[in-house]
Amino acid sequence: MRILIPGIGGVLGQRVAKRLVEQGHEVIGIDRRPWHNAPEGIEIHNVDIRKRAAEDVFRKRRPQAVIHMATVTHLVERTEERFRINLGGTRAVFEHCRDWGVEHAIFVGRHTYYGAAADSPLYHKEEDPPMAVTTFPELSDLVAADLYACTALWRLPQLTTTVLRMVYTMGPTGHGTLATLLRGKRVPMVLGFAPLFHFMHEEDMTSAICLTLEKKLKGVYNVAGPQPVPLSVAIRGTGRSALPLPESVFRAALGRFGLPRLPPGALAHIKYPVVVDSSAFREATGFQHKIDEVQALSEFRDAFPLHD
Amino acid sequence: MPFLIDPEVASRVDRLELPFNKYGVDPYGARKDHIARVLTVFQFLYRHYFTIGVHGIEHVPRRGRAMLVGNHSGGVALDGAMVITSCFFELEPPRLAQGMAEKFMAKTPFMGLSATRMGQLTGLVETAEHLLNDDRMLMIFPEGARGTAKLYPERNSLVHFGSGFVRLAMKTKTPIIPFGFVGGGEAIPTIANSYTLGKLFGAPYVPITPWGVALPAPARLELTYSEPMTFEGTGTEEDEVIERYVEQVKQRIAGLIELGRKRRRKALAWPGSTDDDDPKLADEQAATKKEEPS
């Protein structure tokens, strides 16, 4: 099968591309970022997904499937630019899919769509509303991109659309929001809170995306691996130590003393859990994770040891 | 021995049939070490501080989904703590009763964290349904915060019952095990509820007792479980149908409270001055098969 991956330059994009090539597929990538040392057989186009040159890739190469991973999730990018990339990019991908005869489009979204709040249930199901827009407005572009992708399910009936809401990544590449939080020797926490964090190993994440393609799955699915663990346990599991700060101190210290400059909404995600029920995905695909939470954390710890 | 954990409690925690991972954490965030530490304290209260009569524990299923439904007694959740403790110590294998906590607790530092580690989660229908589908045992007080707000003279009465628990039980085909709790109002006799103090602490209210704070006195408590009740249906029935079932559960609980009161009166009376072996009480006790804690 000929598969196009917008956002191939990311850690997950590269892994999925390599796995698909191993499986005998033809892989084409689009990304503004370069991928040095890309394996042979993967065709890379260094273009912006929103530009005409990207459409030309669809026109000339006529992919049968598209795995859309060209979304910005980190908060370093200016909000306005993030909105443009995440919304404009997603719109462009689905329009090109419609115009150039793509059969299957997979949108790789995030489980943070559901948002973290004191009164949000554990184990969100796919029908739960996107509360992230109220608890964490800075994520609203990702929520909107997810919802936009969902509209393809009824707007483009000829296209098989899958929207995946994947939990945090954890593993030796140190890629992802949770891994970034756990990078330092001391990990700040809000005193009196230790929410459950739901994550899965990057290998399992790659398998889940490839399985979605193989099964030509249609619909919206939460994707998770092993059970979630409290942040305090994840910190210990990666050999770090917790730095519990009262909420007011935490808020004031953001962006100082080596702490990341996070918007205030991010605090809800360090106080309350976002945990998803992935039983529908498992049932539809037969997916089973291979790496449990203990091994995922210890692989991260071994890849990022702490030096005195 | 881990700090502040009784070895007997620790061994019972090991026998809880819950899927704890290698870190000792279950998929809902309950932690073995925390459960053992809290139940070490509850064990002291249950066996030494209070005098507690537990009856009908054989009605609580050993395995599978179940819903313990009862009345609130006392200004703080002493009733819930004793129900959890009785299921932990009197059942073989021990079971963890999982309460549905008030939403304000999740927002309060340490309070929500401690409750979650003990397997007591925020009271949301979605979470409750997920727990039942995982064959857990829920503990529900349909009176909610209105129930703990009862003042001393109202301690053995029942206030309005919510109906969500019956719908959920029907939807998930879960048996309801009603229980009646008596004595909480004597342990924590609420003379007033301070809503101003409540606002200060982020709680609905703070109960005031004759000695100021809501610290319990070593009273005699009676906990009576009755036979399971099951209601056929899907949980989507009209309100009138559901309300009838709710009323049936409420009446059963009212009967259990009455039974507990009689037993409590008898136990506290001077020897020789009891209303000598009330035949009705003896019959009722036989029905719930008396089982004193060891």
Side-chain angles (χ1 to χ4, degrees):
Chain A
M1 200 193 297
R2 189 177 300 137
I3 303 153
L4 175 67
I5 307 180
I8 199 167
V11 172
L12 196 57
Q14 292 184 8
R15 280 182 171 255
V16 170
K18 284 181 193 162
R19 180 81 65 88
L20 291 173
V21 168
E22 279 167 24
Q23 289 176 354
H25 295 290
E26 187 184 339
V27 176
I28 308 159
I30 291 181
D31 207 309
R32 291 192 304 180
R33 299 164 290 186
W35 181 5
H36 305 295
N37 317 317
E40 250 182 72
I42 298 181
E43 185 184 314
I44 309 282
H45 297 265
N46 284 119
V47 294
D48 189 324
I49 189 65
R50 296 165 294 169
K51 300 291 162 103
R52 190 172 289 277
E55 187 176 2
D56 218 37
V57 177
F58 279 83
R59 186 184 292 119
K60 286 181 179 155
R61 305 294 285 124
R62 296 293 175 100
Q64 288 141 302
V66 170
I67 304 174
H68 176 29
M69 289 195 268
T71 49
V72 182
T73 55
H74 57 76
L75 296 155
V76 180
E77 197 88 44
R78 280 193 313 118
T79 309
E80 208 176 314
E81 182 62 6
R82 268 178 51 124
F83 267 64
R84 288 217 181 95
I85 297 170
N86 290 340
L87 282 176
T90 302
R91 180 180 178 178
V93 166
F94 279 96
E95 282 180 354
H96 300 335
C97 285
R98 177 196 63 199
D99 296 342
W100 304 107
V102 175
E103 294 161 26
H104 187 191
I106 302 172
F107 174 84
V108 180
R110 309 291 183 280
H111 78 316
T112 42
Y113 165 90
Y114 297 108
D119 58 352
S120 61
L122 279 184
Y123 293 97
H124 288 283
K125 289 199 186 301
E126 286 80 358
E127 62 262 29
D128 284 2
M131 297 305 286
V133 285
T134 56
T135 60
F136 195 171
E138 290 79 4
L139 284 185
S140 58
D141 55 332
L142 283 172
V143 172
D146 182 304
L147 291 173
Y148 183 84
C150 289
T151 65
L153 283 161
W154 55 266
R155 280 192 308 113
L156 310 173
Q158 74 283 10
L159 176 71
T160 302
T161 302
T162 326
V163 174
L164 301 179
R165 292 177 185 151
M166 309 195 85
V167 296
Y168 292 125
T169 325
M170 177 52 63
T173 61
H175 162 74
T177 311
L178 177 60
T180 309
L181 180 71
L182 294 172
R183 197 64 76 80
K185 190 177 173 184
R186 290 182 187 280
V187 181
M189 291 176 68
V190 180
L191 184 70
F193 295 90
L196 288 171
F197 267 72
H198 217 169
F199 56 83
M200 69 196 286
H201 194 277
E202 42 219 30
E203 273 299 309
D204 282 329
M205 214 162 219
T206 307
S207 304
I209 294 171
C210 294
L211 205 55
T212 305
L213 189 73
E214 188 189 316
K215 301 282 181 188
K216 221 172 174 194
L217 200 61
K218 183 178 185 178
V220 184
Y221 293 94
N222 294 329
V223 183
Q227 69 161 72
V229 298
L231 180 58
S232 53
V233 173
I235 290 171
R236 271 206 307 280
T238 49
R240 271 64 183 164
S241 50
L243 178 66
L245 300 170
E247 191 172 342
S248 52
V249 176
F250 196 115
R251 222 177 264 278
L254 281 177
R256 302 191 181 98
F257 316 111
L259 290 182
R261 261 225 324 252
L262 297 173
L267 226 59
H269 285 246
I270 303 175
K271 283 171 69 184
Y272 307 118
V274 188
V275 174
V276 295
D277 180 345
S278 64
S279 53
F281 181 75
R282 286 171 189 267
E283 208 171 297
T285 60
F287 172 74
Q288 282 185 323
H289 64 270
K290 290 200 174 73
I291 300 170
D292 69 12
E293 65 281 19
V294 180
Q295 194 185 335
L297 290 173
S298 69
E299 281 188 26
F300 173 85
R301 185 186 57 213
D302 296 343
F304 297 93
L306 292 173
H307 301 289
D308 291 326
Chain B
M1 186 183 74
F3 186 57
L4 293 177
I5 294 176
D6 182 296
E8 186 213 335
V9 175
S11 88
R12 290 192 79 80
V13 170
D14 284 337
R15 283 164 50 219
L16 281 172
E17 293 181 350
L18 297 178
F20 290 111
N21 69 0
K22 288 177 197 158
Y23 295 123
V25 181
D26 94 334
Y28 295 90
R31 283 176 55 162
K32 280 175 93 169
D33 56 348
H34 190 79
I35 294 173
R37 213 163 277 136
V38 171
L39 275 155
T40 298
V41 177
F42 284 4
Q43 176 185 231
F44 167 76
L45 297 173
Y46 184 79
R47 291 193 169 150
H48 305 291
Y49 189 75
F50 300 114
T51 311
I52 179 160
V54 180
H55 302 262
I57 191 81
E58 69 280 3
H59 296 307
V60 180
R62 281 3 182 209
R63 289 180 182 86
R65 63 190 65 176
M67 212 186 250
L68 306 175
V69 178
N71 65 303
H72 263 313
S73 175
V76 293
L78 177 68
D79 36 29
M82 292 300 108
V83 169
I84 293 168
T85 315
S86 70
C87 293
F88 183 80
F89 286 106
E90 309 301 338
L91 293 176
E92 286 302 337
R95 277 202 91 170
L96 182 68
Q98 300 194 261
M100 297 276 93
E102 281 294 323
K103 287 175 192 154
F104 81 89
M105 287 175 67
K107 290 183 189 162
T108 317
F110 299 107
M111 203 186 254
L113 180 60
S114 178
T116 304
R117 286 176 174 175
M118 190 57 205
Q120 311 303 307
L121 306 173
T122 306
L124 296 158
V125 180
E126 298 89 338
T127 306
E129 188 177 337
H130 206 273
L131 281 164
L132 290 173
N133 287 333
D134 272 353
D135 283 339
R136 302 293 184 102
M137 184 164 75
L138 287 192
M139 173 178 66
I140 290 172
F141 294 93
E143 295 173 290
R146 299 177 298 268
T148 44
K150 283 182 269 192
L151 299 178
Y152 182 75
E154 306 154 343
R155 65 194 180 283
N156 290 318
S157 62
L158 290 172
V159 295
H160 174 74
F161 269 38
S163 60
F165 76 97
V166 167
R167 286 193 189 278
L168 187 60
M170 289 166 79
K171 185 179 177 189
T172 56
K173 310 261 176 271
T174 304
I176 291 174
I177 297 98
F179 68 84
F181 194 93
V182 174
E186 282 78 2
I188 305 167
T190 307
I191 50 171
N193 289 308
S194 171
Y195 292 86
T196 316
L197 273 179
K199 262 187 202 157
L200 206 65
F201 293 109
Y205 59 85
V206 171
I208 309 289
T209 61
W211 47 89
V213 290
L215 279 176
R220 180 171 178 97
L221 311 173
E222 288 288 345
L223 173 56
T224 318
Y225 295 100
S226 92
E227 284 172 0
M229 300 172 85
T230 47
F231 300 108
E232 295 299 324
T234 58
T236 54
E237 287 74 4
E238 290 175 5
D239 280 352
E240 290 75 13
V241 178
I242 300 292
E243 286 300 338
R244 266 205 305 279
Y245 294 151
V246 171
E247 195 52 37
Q248 284 178 32
V249 178
K250 195 172 176 181
Q251 288 309 317
R252 176 79 68 90
I253 293 170
L256 296 170
I257 292 172
E258 207 42 50
L259 200 59
R261 286 181 73 186
K262 285 180 190 165
R263 257 199 314 266
R264 188 170 186 278
R265 267 203 301 273
K266 195 175 174 192
L268 292 177
W270 287 103
S273 69
T274 55
D275 39 15
D276 246 347
D277 293 15
D278 180 348
K280 197 177 164 204
L281 177 60
D283 287 349
E284 284 164 341
Q285 279 184 344
T288 52
K289 196 177 168 188
K290 186 169 179 173
E291 196 170 295
E292 288 288 349
S294 52

